[in-house]
Amino acid sequence: MPLPPDHELALIDRELAQLDHRRTYLLARRDWLLRLPAPAPGPAPAPNGWGARAAASAARPQEASGPGAQNVLLTLGAVLLAVAALAFTLISWGSLGIAGRSAVLAVVTAAALGAPALLLRRGLRSTAESVAAVG
């Protein structure tokens, strides 16, 4: 719904006043920056701002590498898997009989020792190592 002309005119006047204020601030800031001593010679930033972005990204600390992050995640996954197995054992171990305990141990051991071979065939060496460590 369009605004009445007097309201739209008041809105435009406010926006223009804000733009004038911002322009005055930017001109004062520019003048102050021009009066600063010249920086050491170096590559000038590109006018489109890409140079400033590249300099900012170069100043940031290095991110984790792919294999390093992968190893951390695999280690955390293996630890969580071990904690889950321990929680299962502590919670349900008392309610299982000797046959149930033997069956659970046999299945879990077979899975933990057989899974790395399957993972190695698929080329997932680090995952296979993690699963083998849990086994």
Side-chain angles (χ1 to χ4, degrees):
M1 183 169 159
L3 294 173
D6 56 338
H7 288 297
E8 189 174 357
L9 186 59
L11 179 67
I12 290 173
D13 286 340
R14 275 196 306 267
E15 291 292 325
L16 286 172
Q18 287 177 352
L19 286 173
D20 285 339
H21 177 70
R22 180 72 177 156
R23 184 174 191 277
T24 304
Y25 167 77
L26 289 174
L27 285 173
R29 179 78 176 160
R30 180 181 183 274
D31 185 46
W32 178 78
L33 288 170
L34 287 174
R35 282 188 262 126
L36 286 176
N48 62 6
W50 287 105
R53 288 188 198 116
S57 65
R60 283 190 305 207
Q62 284 291 336
E63 295 180 6
S65 66
Q70 179 186 14
N71 289 337
V72 169
L73 290 173
L74 286 171
T75 302
L76 288 175
V79 168
L80 287 174
L81 187 61
V83 167
L86 183 64
F88 170 78
T89 302
L90 292 175
I91 291 171
S92 67
W93 199 252
S95 64
L96 294 175
I98 190 74
R101 291 178 191 170
S102 299
V104 168
L105 282 174
V107 168
V108 170
T109 303
L113 296 178
L118 295 171
L119 292 169
L120 283 173
R121 270 190 248 137
R122 292 183 180 243
L124 301 171
R125 196 180 98 238
S126 297
T127 306
E129 289 175 4
S130 295
V131 173
V134 170

